[in-house]
Amino acid sequence: MSEVIVVTSGKGGVGKTTSSASIAMGLARRGHKVVVIDFDVGLRNLDLIMGCERRVVYDFVNVINGEASLRQALIKDKRQENLSILAASQTRDKDALTQEGVERVLNELRADFDYIVCDSPAGIEKGAHLAMYFADRAVVVVNPEVSSVRDSDRVLGLLASKTRRVEQGEGKIQEHLLLTRYNPKRVADGDMMSLKDVEEILGIQVLGVIPESEEVLQSSNSGNPVILDLDSPAGQAYDDAVARLLGESRPLRFLEVGKKGLFQRLFGG
Amino acid sequence: MGLLDLFRKKQKNSANTAKNRLQIIIAQDKADASGPDYLPLLKRELLEVIRKYVSVNPDAVEVNLSHESDHDVLELNIVLPDRPATAADGV
């Protein structure tokens, strides 16, 4: 039985695509067959983060419109054979995604994949709606920052009412909080909301906390999901999050400031 | 704390401010979202009607819709000024 996971947030730029890429890669590394879909029609970016931008021939909208088969449009990851990518279309037609079309493609994918990760666009418009509508679970990506938290609360409201499961009376889908760009030092200084603060406001279960780290940008630069860099705190934190998504229980890490050298302690920073 | 921190001007606990502001605005967002679509318009029209007779502040009119087991309650709370001015006073 395959599962559809939406990665969503409301606000843009909080790390949805970065998280989708790493979660999909992490699930695939654990032996599951995974496809990750970019729902951001007109602003395709998942291909860049996954490092397959030059291999996109057909996209999601081509498949919906019957201009290409799924087999033609799916891009197999070169590092991980269990993982495929379905790129977003660069069309400017806002109505390119239809509910029937998305449903048909997802049903076809369910036959071949264990996990279907839907990378939602920012906002609460059609693309975001369709990305969450067929989901069985949701990962809500949040930064510890006022606008991100408020938007996430709006998105949680939509997840509670505007999904097929809810509409068909099958109950609410499972919601997970993924707190990204977490800076333990700023939290300790009282300049950034803590995990506890955000948890208290949003009231959903924590999937993981990804520390703000240089490696995230470096990974995007090179087109390698940061979870592949298991020496980096962010890579390890994503690996933990994926393990928890699969039901493993792992303690949260990277919530405290690391030990500092004498120089740093004397002069701050 | 580093030596240099002593010289830094610090704004302490902006995180707490953020949390408090969020808790208030999210509660308000939720209340707005849960009410029926006509509520804001109803509020405005009620205010207009009241102001035809009594001069009140827009803030003085509070309209709340709450849900009780099998019915909704529309609660209207209007704070009148000490000496109610009438429309005849030329307000």
Side-chain angles (χ1 to χ4, degrees), chain B residues 48-56 80-91:
Chain B
E48 274 166 29
V49 172
I50 292 162
R51 289 178 107 180
K52 264 166 88 175
Y53 302 96
V54 193
S55 155
V56 291
L80 296 177
D82 279 349
R83 189 190 68 88
T86 60
D89 289 346
V91 189

Side-chain angles (χ1 to χ4, degrees), chain B residues 10-23:
Chain B
K10 267 247 163 121
Q11 249 201 330
K12 266 286 163 204
N13 260 328
S14 64
N16 256 337
T17 316
K19 186 183 176 188
N20 293 337
R21 290 174 58 216
L22 272 170
Q23 280 172 328

Side-chain angles (χ1 to χ4, degrees), chain A residues 150 153 189-190 197 200 265-266, chain B residues 2-3 12 14-15 19 29:
Chain A
R150 184 190 197 178
D153 186 74
D189 287 349
D197 293 337
E200 211 174 291
R265 250 185 292 158
L266 270 176
Chain B
L3 281 178
K12 266 286 163 204
S14 64
K19 186 183 176 188
D29 284 348

Side-chain angles (χ1 to χ4, degrees), chain A residues 58-115:
Chain A
Y58 294 110
D59 57 56
F60 194 11
V61 171
N62 291 141
V63 179
I64 287 179
N65 293 340
E67 295 149 5
S69 68
L70 255 181
R71 186 191 293 268
Q72 288 173 304
L74 286 176
I75 305 166
K76 245 185 186 290
D77 190 90
K78 290 213 159 141
R79 296 152 295 208
Q80 179 49 255
E81 59 168 1
N82 288 332
L83 178 61
S84 296
I85 297 122
L86 185 54
S89 162
Q90 286 289 47
T91 175
R92 286 158 68 180
D93 175 13
K94 276 198 301 185
D95 298 319
L97 292 182
T98 59
Q99 184 155 315
E100 301 70 37
V102 171
E103 180 168 28
R104 192 160 31 82
V105 174
L106 290 181
N107 283 341
E108 211 176 315
L109 288 169
R110 276 181 193 270
D112 290 329
F113 293 94
D114 304 320
Y115 289 98

Side-chain angles (χ1 to χ4, degrees), chain A residues 150 153-154 201, chain B residues 20-35 39-40 43 63-65:
Chain A
R150 184 190 197 178
D153 186 74
R154 289 275 287 154
I201 295 167
Chain B
N20 293 337
R21 290 174 58 216
L22 272 170
Q23 280 172 328
I24 293 166
I25 195 65
I26 283 178
Q28 196 182 316
D29 284 348
K30 280 203 172 109
D32 288 349
S34 65
L39 203 60
K43 231 182 221 182
V63 182
N64 283 315
L65 190 72

